Amino acid sequence: MEPAKNSEQISRAELLEMQLKLRGDFQQEIDSIKEDLVSINERLLPLGKWLENIESHTGKMAVTLERQKDAQDKFMEKLYEQERKIQEIQSNTTFKKEKLRVKGAILISIISLLGAGSGVVMIFGKRLADFLFGN
């Protein structure tokens, strides 16, 4: 072929040179992108595994917390039942103490009446006996 006569025309050799240069530039960019992808994969794959582990542990924690809540509910129910029984026993004890106090007061009253009655009998004995049993 004839050499380029016009400055606007490009020779075949120049075209091939430009093509090889562009190929080299593109190959460098492709290699750089491949290196970046390998680096990203090296970083993301462990991160993905880490996230899977977090998900697994979170699920286990939810189950554990649910079991703990159930155990706590049962414990609180037993505690409430025991508190109710304690209050019932205290109420019964208070009632029994009050009943004993009343019985004691009645007994003291009876003893007092008998004591006073014996004094009355001593003073008015004959008249009272005549009045109650007649002559």
Side-chain angles (χ1 to χ4, degrees):
M1 272 194 149
E2 288 183 28
K5 294 180 181 175
N6 189 349
S7 64
E8 292 182 11
Q9 291 181 350
I10 299 176
S11 71
R12 186 174 184 161
E14 289 174 335
L15 189 61
L16 285 175
E17 244 180 66
M18 286 175 58
Q19 187 179 9
L20 287 175
K21 185 178 182 296
L22 283 174
R23 258 191 206 166
D25 290 345
F26 281 135
Q27 190 60 46
Q28 284 179 352
E29 288 182 26
I30 289 172
D31 291 342
S32 173
I33 290 172
K34 280 183 183 178
E35 288 175 18
D36 290 345
L37 285 175
V38 167
S39 174
I40 288 171
N41 282 338
E42 288 174 353
R43 291 181 186 150
L44 288 181
L45 288 178
L47 182 62
K49 189 67 174 170
W50 183 68
L51 290 173
E52 287 175 6
N53 288 339
I54 287 175
E55 180 184 10
S56 171
H57 292 304
T58 302
K60 289 176 184 177
M61 282 179 63
V63 169
T64 302
L65 288 173
E66 188 65 32
R67 287 180 184 163
Q68 183 180 7
K69 181 187 169 291
D70 290 343
Q72 186 178 10
D73 287 346
K74 287 178 184 176
F75 177 78
M76 292 304 288
E77 187 176 313
K78 287 179 182 178
L79 190 62
Y80 172 76
E81 184 64 27
Q82 287 177 352
E83 181 67 27
R84 192 187 59 76
K85 286 179 181 179
I86 288 170
Q87 287 178 354
E88 185 178 315
I89 290 170
Q90 286 175 339
S91 174
N92 286 342
T93 303
T94 303
F95 178 74
K96 286 178 183 176
K97 284 180 182 177
E98 186 63 26
K99 193 175 174 182
L100 264 170
R101 191 186 65 76
V102 168
K103 283 182 180 179
I106 291 172
L107 186 61
I108 289 172
S109 298
I110 290 173
I111 291 172
S112 297
L113 284 175
L114 287 177
S118 65
V120 168
V121 167
M122 291 173 94
I123 295 173
F124 302 106
K126 186 165 175 22
R127 288 187 195 167
L128 188 59
D130 289 342
F131 175 74
L132 290 175
F133 304 110
N135 253 348

